[in-house]
């Protein structure tokens, strides 16, 4: 292995140490405090500019004879050739070389350089442009024509070459040659600008028929809206109204479904407006609004509304405004098809217009947007689309079969195993009843009870059968109702009420007994009240008392006690109606009723006093009702019996701890009953006696 001082064969006679880059040593800054005079960046740049040395330029060379000129040319050519040899791909070198030969008036050599450059990269259209420009600048017309011809043959898709070629021929006055070049270009089907340039060329020389034929070829090559509109405007400019209309009609036949059809129809309608044909323009607008998707017809609606305001009557203006609102609703339902409020507004708009087919179409589109999840909250607005659809078919169109189909499809669509809507079942049944199809209504309600039983369905079905007088069906329905919901006190009460209305007292009583024996009831107090009222209405006082006693075995609520006592007291009023009895007997009966009522109040007061002393407020309410009753009895009442039991109301305060830990006091009403006050007094005396005894014992110790 060679050392760093030995010469390396790849480096000649130098060593590797000679080739190492020596960097200056980094200076250590000891004093890092800022200098008293600061230098700005602008000052540094100015000083660098002032100290910059002058640019060294080669001296100017003056050529005095042909020998020096030949040497100069030989040296320059050698430089150019060397550059080309090093970078043959560099187009700038070729162009400078050719331009230098041109400056030396050696056109043959310059042409040779251009040919060599094109041979290396004939796809570069800049070379062709510069080559042809060189020929034209030096008035070599045929050579330039030859260059252009070769260029457009090799690069037919470069429009600039065609434009330059045609421009040269036109500047030379060779109109036929320029037309021939255009025809060659059109065979390659260029873009629209190429065709329009050809048309403008013909129009410059007033060749109208030629321009028209070019337009025909143009719209065949580019069947676009803009092409047809240009063609029609060309005909309109020449006063050819029939030809322009024909162009527009051909365009609407071919491009009615194109994305830019809106622009075409607007241009066609404006053309008819200029031709004083408002009816034609109106027909075009309406045709366009029916065929163009609503999302792309915004400008068309604006134009139509403005047109109707200018040329239309009141109905036409309203129709245009409805069309504009229709467009807005279409846009809303397209963005969010599950926004059922937009569908309701859209249907309402169409119903004001009154087009039945269109209304049905909107309803069908709306109900096709089924909620994505099988949850009732998502279906609650959606189901009203079906209801409105069915009502529209029944009321407006009076199409019975179609209404029946709507209800049938709606009931088939709802997932009854997860949720259902009683309203739709009932509406379908009521529709069948209006059509006098009682069997159909019963079938619908029977299916409802079987698939998705609900309170509303049972109630309405029973009501229908009751109006028809089918009592056996009502009984069966009540039985099904109670099998489905045995805890429903409303159903038990109504069933018993039905039997009572039919004078079936024993059946009604059996139903009540069966009801109160159920292990769970939703509103037992209503059921017991209905049973008690039933027995009172039947005049069965003993049965009523027995019912109250059974109820008190289940609950000791103060309202039950009060109701029981009032029942006993109410027999006074019943006895007053018996005119045939003697007055003394009536008074004795009244006293007996009062005694019974008072006994019930006594039982209640004893219960609250001994078994539930914490229910002070309920006991106080009970005593107030007792006092009111004694007052209403008049001379037979004894208010003092109750007054001795009444409590005292005391205002007290109790501490309440808040969430933040602070404590506040809240006032509340407490009740102090007479037996509690006596106990309190005894406790005070006992405490005083203990204090006295303790004090005497202390004084004796001090004496000792």
């Amino acid at each position: 292995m060679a050392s760093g001082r030995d010469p390396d064969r790849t480096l000649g006679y130098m060593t590797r140490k000679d080739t190492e880059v020596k960097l200056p040593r980094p200076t250590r800054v000891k004093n890092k405090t800022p200098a008293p005079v600061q230098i700005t960046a602008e000052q540094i740049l100015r000083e660098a500019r002032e100290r910059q040395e002058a640019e060294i330029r080669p001296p100017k060379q003056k050529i005095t004879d042909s020998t020096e000129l030949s040497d100069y040319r030989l040296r320059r050519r050698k430089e150019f050739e060397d550059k080309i040899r090093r970078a043959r791909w560099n187009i700038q070198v070729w162009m400078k070389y050719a331009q230098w030969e041109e400056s030396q008036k050696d056109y043959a050599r310059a042409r040779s350089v251009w040919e060599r450059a094109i041979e290396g990269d004939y796809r570069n259209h800049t070379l062709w442009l510069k080559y042809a420009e060189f020929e034209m600048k030096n008035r070599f017309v045929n050579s330039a024509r030859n260059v252009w011809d070769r260029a457009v043959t090799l690069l037919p898709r470069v429009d600039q070459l065609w434009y330059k070629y045609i421009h040269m021929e036109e500047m030379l006055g060779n109109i036929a040659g320029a037309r021939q070049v255009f025809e060659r270009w059109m065979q390659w089907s260029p873009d629209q600008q190429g065709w329009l340039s050809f048309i403008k060329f013909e129009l410059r020389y007033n060749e109208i028929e030629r321009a028209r034929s070019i337009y025909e070829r143009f719209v065949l090559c580019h069947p676009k809206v803009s092409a047809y509109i240009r063609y029609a405007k060309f005909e309109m400019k020449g006063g050819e109204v029939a030809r322009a209309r024909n162009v527009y009609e051909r365009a609407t036949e071919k491009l009615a479904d194109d994305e830019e059809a809106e622009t075409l129809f607007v241009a066609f309608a404006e053309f008819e407006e200029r031709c004083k044909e408002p009816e034609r323009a109106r027909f075009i607008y309406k045709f366009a609004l029916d065929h163009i998707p609503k999302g792309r017809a915004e400008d068309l609606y604006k134009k139509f509304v403005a047109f109707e305001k200018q040329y239309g009557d009141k109905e036409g203006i309203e129709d245009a405004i409805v069309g504009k609102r229709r467009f807005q609703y279409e846009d809303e339902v397209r963005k969010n098809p599950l926004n059922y409020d937009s569908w309701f507004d859209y249907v309402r708009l169409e119903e004001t217009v009154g087009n039945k087919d269109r209304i049905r179409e909107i309803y069908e589109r709306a109900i096709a947007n089924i909620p994505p999840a099988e949850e009732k909250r998502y279906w609650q607005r959606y189901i009203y689309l079906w209801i409105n659809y069915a009502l529209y078919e029944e009321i407006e169109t009076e199409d019975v079969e179609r209404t029946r189909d709507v209800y049938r499809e709606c009931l088939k669509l709802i997932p009854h195993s997860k949720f259902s809507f009683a309203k739709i079942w009932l509406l379908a049944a009521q529709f069948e009843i209006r059509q006098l199809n009682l069997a159909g209504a019963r079938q619908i309600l029977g299916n409802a009870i079987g698939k998705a039983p609900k309170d509303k369905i049972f109630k309405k079905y029973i009501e229908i059968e009751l109006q028809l007088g089918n009592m056996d069906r009502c009984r069966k329905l009540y039985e099904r109702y109670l099998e489905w919901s045995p805890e429903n006190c409303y159903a038990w009460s109504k069933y018993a009420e039905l039997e009572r209305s039919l004078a079936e007292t024993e059946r009604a009583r059996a139903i009540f007994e069966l009801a109160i024996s159920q292990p769970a009831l939703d509103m037992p107090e209503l059921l017991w009240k209905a049973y008690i009222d039933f027995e009172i209405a039947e005049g069965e006082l003993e049965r009523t008392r027995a019912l109250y006693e059974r109820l008190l075995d289940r609950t000791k609520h103060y309202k039950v006690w009060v109701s029981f006592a009032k029942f006993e007291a109410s027999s006074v009023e019943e006895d007053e109606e018996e005119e045939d009895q003697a007055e003394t007997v009536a008074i004795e009966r009244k006293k007996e009723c009062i005694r019974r009522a008072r006994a019930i109040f006594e039982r209640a007061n004893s219960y609250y006093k001994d078994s539930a002393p914490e229910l002070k407020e309920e006991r106080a309410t009970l005593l107030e009702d007792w006092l009111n009753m004694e007052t209403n009895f008049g001379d037979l009442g004894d208010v003092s019996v109750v007054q001795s039991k009444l409590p005292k109301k005391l205002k007290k305060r109790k501490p309440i701890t808040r969430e933040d830990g602070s404590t506040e006091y809240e006032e509340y009403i407490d009740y102090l009953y007479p037996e509690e006050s006596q106990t309190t007094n005894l406790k005070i005396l006992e405490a005083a006696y203990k204090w006295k005894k303790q004090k005497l014992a202390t004084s004796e110790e001090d004496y000792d």
Side-chain angles (χ1 to χ4, degrees):
M1 184 175 178
S3 63
R5 295 183 179 180
D6 296 334
D8 193 345
R9 292 181 180 179
T10 58
L11 302 175
Y13 292 99
M14 291 190 295
T15 62
R16 291 199 177 272
K17 190 174 182 181
D18 297 332
T19 60
E20 291 178 356
V21 179
K22 295 181 180 180
L23 298 174
R25 285 185 180 178
T27 56
R28 293 184 179 179
V29 180
K30 294 181 179 180
N31 186 8
K32 295 184 180 181
T33 57
V37 179
Q38 295 292 319
I39 302 175
T40 62
E42 183 183 357
Q43 187 175 353
I44 293 171
L45 292 174
R46 193 184 302 116
E47 289 180 359
R49 180 72 177 173
E50 290 173 356
R51 295 178 183 179
Q52 191 175 4
E53 296 180 357
E55 185 181 356
I56 301 174
R57 295 182 179 179
K60 292 183 179 180
Q61 184 179 6
K62 292 184 179 181
I63 299 172
T64 56
D65 56 4
S66 58
T67 305
E68 289 183 359
L69 180 59
S70 299
D71 292 341
Y72 167 70
R73 286 177 175 173
L74 180 62
R75 188 170 62 253
R76 288 290 291 167
R77 286 187 183 115
K78 187 176 182 303
E79 290 175 1
F80 278 119
E81 291 292 342
D82 290 340
K83 287 180 180 179
I84 288 170
R85 191 165 51 251
R86 285 196 299 269
R88 191 174 186 83
W89 48 268
N90 194 341
I91 302 302
Q92 296 297 326
V93 176
W94 288 104
M95 291 171 62
K96 288 180 180 179
Y97 190 7
Q99 288 167 0
W100 181 81
E101 292 290 0
E102 183 185 356
S103 68
Q104 299 300 313
K105 306 298 182 183
D106 196 342
Y107 301 118
R109 283 181 178 275
R111 193 173 289 117
S112 174
V113 173
W114 284 117
E115 290 292 341
R116 287 168 61 195
I118 287 171
E119 184 180 358
D121 188 8
Y122 72 91
R123 289 188 179 86
N124 193 329
H125 67 279
T126 307
L127 281 174
W128 290 104
L129 291 171
K130 295 294 183 180
Y131 188 9
E133 186 181 340
F134 153 73
E135 297 288 6
M136 289 189 298
K137 188 165 59 176
N138 295 292
R139 299 179 184 277
F140 299 117
V141 176
N142 288 329
S143 297
R145 200 172 274 137
N146 182 25
V147 172
W148 287 124
D149 197 50
R150 289 162 59 197
V152 297
T153 303
L154 292 170
L155 302 172
R157 293 299 179 189
V158 181
D159 295 344
Q160 193 176 5
L161 298 176
W162 293 101
Y163 284 126
K164 292 284 187 180
Y165 191 5
I166 294 164
H167 180 68
M168 184 193 77
E169 295 292 356
E170 196 172 358
M171 290 295 102
L172 294 172
N174 186 9
I175 307 303
R179 186 174 290 120
Q180 188 177 2
V181 175
F182 263 123
E183 290 293 346
R184 285 176 60 191
W185 188 14
M186 295 305 111
Q187 291 176 2
W188 290 96
S189 300
D191 59 3
Q192 292 192 21
Q193 195 58 41
W195 289 95
L196 295 175
S197 300
F198 193 8
I199 292 166
K200 289 178 182 177
F201 167 77
E202 296 293 356
L203 291 176
R204 278 200 297 272
Y205 299 101
N206 204 23
E207 295 286 347
I208 305 298
E209 288 300 325
R210 285 181 181 273
R212 184 173 289 121
S213 64
I214 295 167
Y215 262 121
E216 289 290 341
R217 292 159 59 193
F218 174 37
V219 296
L220 288 175
C221 181
H222 294 282
K224 294 184 178 180
V225 171
S226 57
Y228 277 101
I229 291 175
R230 286 180 182 274
Y231 187 10
K233 286 182 178 179
F234 159 74
E235 296 291 2
M236 189 65 185
K237 193 174 181 180
E240 299 287 344
V241 177
R243 287 179 182 272
R245 184 174 288 122
N246 184 30
V247 172
Y248 276 121
E249 289 173 356
R250 286 162 54 194
T252 53
E253 289 176 4
K254 291 185 178 181
L255 304 174
D257 299 328
D258 192 79
E259 291 184 356
E260 298 179 354
E262 179 190 4
T263 308
L264 173 64
F265 285 116
V266 169
F268 194 3
E270 289 177 347
F271 160 76
E272 294 293 355
E273 285 184 54
R274 287 194 293 270
C275 296
K276 309 299 181 184
E277 294 284 352
E279 289 302 321
R280 283 177 175 268
R282 182 176 289 109
F283 178 78
I284 291 164
Y285 276 124
K286 290 184 177 179
F287 177 82
L289 291 173
D290 291 337
H291 287 78
I292 295 178
K294 301 301 183 289
R296 301 203 306 261
E298 185 174 357
D299 188 46
L300 187 65
Y301 274 114
K302 292 180 181 177
K303 296 282 186 181
F304 183 38
V305 172
F307 168 80
E308 287 293 347
K309 288 180 179 178
Q310 185 175 359
Y311 296 101
D313 53 3
K314 184 179 179 181
E315 293 182 0
I317 294 171
E318 288 179 356
D319 188 35
I321 293 171
V322 166
K324 187 174 181 181
R325 289 176 61 194
R326 186 180 290 132
F327 167 75
Q328 293 173 351
Y329 288 133
E330 283 287 347
D331 187 49
E332 288 180 12
V333 299
R334 189 186 74 254
K335 290 179 180 176
N336 185 8
L338 297 177
N339 184 4
Y340 301 119
D341 291 332
S342 299
W343 286 110
F344 285 126
D345 295 338
Y346 195 2
V347 170
R348 203 173 296 118
L349 172 68
E350 294 297 344
E351 287 178 351
T352 58
V353 176
N355 189 342
K356 293 182 181 179
D357 293 334
R358 188 165 183 83
I359 293 169
R360 282 174 176 159
E361 179 195 350
I362 300 301
Y363 269 123
E364 292 292 339
R365 288 172 56 196
I367 62 179
N369 297 293
I370 302 171
E374 291 185 349
E375 294 183 23
K376 191 168 184 177
R377 58 195 178 100
Y378 295 119
W379 287 65
Q380 284 175 338
R381 292 292 291 165
Y382 170 72
I383 206 68
Y384 277 95
L385 287 172
W386 287 94
I387 293 172
N388 291 354
Y389 189 12
L391 293 176
Y392 170 77
E393 291 292 351
E394 181 185 0
I395 299 169
E396 299 295 332
T397 64
E398 298 180 355
D399 192 337
V400 176
E401 289 302 321
R402 199 174 182 90
T403 307
R404 189 172 286 120
D405 291 340
V406 171
Y407 279 122
R408 188 183 300 117
E409 292 299 322
C410 178
L411 291 172
K412 193 183 298 182
L413 181 66
I414 298 171
H416 299 291
S417 60
K418 296 186 177 180
F419 60 86
S420 185
F421 294 93
K423 191 177 188 67
I424 198 74
W425 290 104
L426 296 176
L427 286 173
Q430 288 167 354
F431 163 73
E432 295 295 348
I433 291 172
R434 286 193 293 272
Q435 306 307 317
L436 304 179
N437 184 9
L438 187 58
R442 281 174 175 159
Q443 184 180 1
I444 290 170
L445 291 172
N447 290 336
I449 291 172
K451 290 182 179 179
K454 285 180 175 290
D455 287 331
K456 287 183 180 178
I457 297 173
F458 277 110
K459 290 176 184 177
K460 193 65 180 178
Y461 197 181
I462 292 168
E463 181 185 344
I464 292 170
E465 295 295 349
L466 195 60
Q467 289 174 352
L468 294 172
N470 295 323
M471 298 305 163
D472 291 336
R473 284 184 177 271
C474 290
R475 287 192 177 107
K476 290 179 181 178
L477 287 173
Y478 270 121
E479 289 171 6
R480 289 284 303 278
Y481 192 1
L482 292 170
E483 285 177 12
W484 173 68
S485 178
E487 73 281 354
N488 193 330
C489 293
Y490 172 84
W492 289 106
S493 301
K494 287 295 180 181
Y495 191 9
E497 186 179 334
L498 171 68
E499 295 295 350
R500 186 189 172 206
S501 65
L502 298 174
E504 294 284 350
T505 307
E506 292 302 323
R507 290 179 68 95
R509 187 173 288 119
I511 290 167
F512 274 124
E513 287 293 337
L514 192 60
I516 62 177
S517 64
Q518 295 298 316
L521 294 169
D522 55 359
M523 289 185 292
E525 64 277 5
L526 296 181
L527 184 64
W528 280 94
K529 185 178 185 304
Y531 193 5
I532 290 170
D533 291 342
F534 164 74
E535 294 292 0
I536 292 173
E538 293 295 325
E540 298 286 346
L541 300 183
E542 292 301 324
R543 286 181 180 271
T544 307
R545 289 189 183 96
L547 272 179
Y548 270 117
E549 292 294 343
R550 288 166 65 187
L551 181 57
L552 286 172
D553 290 340
R554 297 195 179 193
T555 177
K556 295 293 195 295
H557 197 276
Y558 83 94
K559 287 186 177 180
V560 178
W561 293 106
V562 173
S563 177
F564 192 6
K566 286 182 178 179
F567 158 71
E568 293 291 357
S570 64
S571 59
V572 176
E573 298 174 4
E574 293 173 4
D575 292 339
E576 285 177 352
E577 294 175 2
E578 299 177 4
E579 298 177 357
D580 54 340
Q581 292 183 352
E583 185 177 354
T584 56
V585 176
I587 292 173
E588 290 298 326
R589 294 287 298 276
K590 289 178 186 178
K591 288 181 178 179
E592 180 65 20
C593 292
I594 293 170
R595 185 185 62 76
R596 286 180 178 176
R598 195 173 287 148
I600 291 167
F601 275 120
E602 289 284 357
R603 281 173 60 192
N605 186 41
S606 300
Y607 166 75
Y608 284 115
K609 178 180 176 182
D610 301 331
S611 302
E614 69 278 0
L615 301 177
K616 293 184 177 182
E617 191 171 354
E618 285 79 356
R619 184 183 175 189
T621 309
L622 179 80
L623 291 172
E624 287 179 4
D625 289 335
W626 188 5
L627 181 63
N628 293 334
M629 186 176 290
E630 294 288 352
T631 305
N632 293 332
F633 287 153
D635 295 337
L636 299 177
D638 189 359
V639 180
S640 60
V641 175
V642 187
Q643 286 179 343
S644 61
K645 296 179 174 61
L646 289 176
K648 293 181 180 179
K649 289 185 180 180
L650 302 176
K651 278 188 180 180
K652 292 187 177 182
R653 296 172 66 192
K654 60 181 178 181
I656 296 176
T657 305
R658 291 183 176 179
E659 294 180 357
D660 57 359
S662 60
T663 303
E664 65 175 6
Y665 289 90
E666 181 184 17
E667 286 189 354
Y668 69 98
I669 302 296
D670 194 12
Y671 295 92
L672 184 64
Y673 288 92
E675 64 271 12
E676 292 178 345
S677 62
Q678 292 176 5
T679 306
T680 306
N681 292 335
L682 290 174
K683 288 181 179 179
I684 292 173
L685 290 173
E686 185 177 355
Y689 177 73
K690 286 182 179 179
W691 176 78
K692 179 70 173 176
K693 189 175 181 180
Q694 186 178 1
K695 190 173 181 183
L696 289 172
T698 306
S699 60
E700 288 177 0
E701 289 177 1
D702 293 340
Y703 177 75
D704 293 340

